Amino acid sequence: MQAFSKKCVEERKEWLTNWMEESKQRRELGLPEQYLYEKDTHHVNYTDFVNKELVLFSNLDNERSIPSMVDGLKPGQRKVLYTCIKRNDKREIKVAQLAGSVAEHSAYHHGENSLMSTIINLAQNYVGSNNINLLQPIGQFGTRLSGGKDAASARYIFTMLR
């Protein structure tokens, strides 16, 4: 099956591209989006699930994991910066507290651990981590030797907007 096989990478790319083109044509014609489930859906077969739901997941996953060409940020990073600017506080804050604040203000629903690693990555300033760190690292945010994986726990490190 092309959806899961490591040998069918090119076919999967073509499959996703075709779905995106069909979706674009539907929008241009003013037709509604095509979803797998309707109000009265009780059963879904495997083929429909894989061919529709998996394509929707793949596209959303790409949107979350590929930075925007406009500002170079992913949606999670953009939410962190939005919250920092909205707070308008010039004092340092614990990374764990900032993660809670971001989750509260920006409808972030992927878990606070994921959010804390995003904040830590935005503050890392060793060579090879970021082009420019947008948050100020106050504490141990990781080293180049370990690729940033040796950062201290989020409850012990602080950050603030540069």
Side-chain angles (χ1 to χ4, degrees), residues 47-142:
T47 306
D48 285 344
F49 179 80
V50 170
N51 285 328
K52 293 181 182 176
E53 194 71 20
L54 197 60
V55 170
L56 291 171
F57 167 77
S58 296
N59 284 326
L60 287 173
D61 186 51
N62 285 339
E63 288 176 17
R64 281 195 313 267
S65 59
I66 299 173
S68 170
M69 288 182 60
V70 176
D71 57 7
L73 297 173
K74 299 173 187 175
Q77 295 170 330
R78 202 172 291 112
K79 288 178 181 187
V80 169
L81 290 178
Y82 167 78
T83 303
C84 289
I85 292 169
K86 184 177 178 184
R87 285 181 71 246
N88 196 20
D89 192 3
K90 303 297 181 202
R91 294 176 296 163
E92 58 190 43
I93 183 172
K94 285 186 179 181
V95 170
Q97 286 178 322
L98 180 57
S101 181
V102 171
E104 177 185 349
H105 288 98
S106 66
Y108 189 88
H109 57 274
H110 297 289
E112 287 194 15
N113 286 335
S114 172
L115 194 51
M116 286 185 246
S117 68
T118 299
I119 293 168
I120 289 171
N121 289 340
L122 282 171
Q124 290 174 333
N125 60 357
Y126 56 85
V127 175
S129 62
N130 292 316
N131 194 12
I132 298 173
N133 59 320
L134 300 172
L135 299 177
Q136 189 173 7
I138 304 168
Q140 175 58 23
F141 278 77

Side-chain angles (χ1 to χ4, degrees), residues 6-75:
K6 292 183 179 182
K7 298 176 184 175
C8 298
V9 174
E10 292 303 318
E11 290 88 354
R12 190 166 39 251
K13 286 179 188 177
E14 185 177 330
W15 177 49
L16 291 170
T17 304
N18 289 340
W19 184 86
M20 289 171 32
E21 288 174 1
E22 288 173 15
S23 180
K24 181 180 176 184
Q25 289 172 354
R26 289 183 65 81
R27 281 193 307 271
E28 288 173 354
L29 293 173
L31 299 172
E33 288 289 328
Q34 204 172 15
Y35 294 105
L36 178 59
Y37 309 112
E38 299 295 331
K39 291 179 184 177
D40 57 349
T41 301
H42 296 289
H43 301 284
V44 177
N45 61 30
Y46 292 114
T47 306
D48 285 344
F49 179 80
V50 170
N51 285 328
K52 293 181 182 176
E53 194 71 20
L54 197 60
V55 170
L56 291 171
F57 167 77
S58 296
N59 284 326
L60 287 173
D61 186 51
N62 285 339
E63 288 176 17
R64 281 195 313 267
S65 59
I66 299 173
S68 170
M69 288 182 60
V70 176
D71 57 7
L73 297 173
K74 299 173 187 175

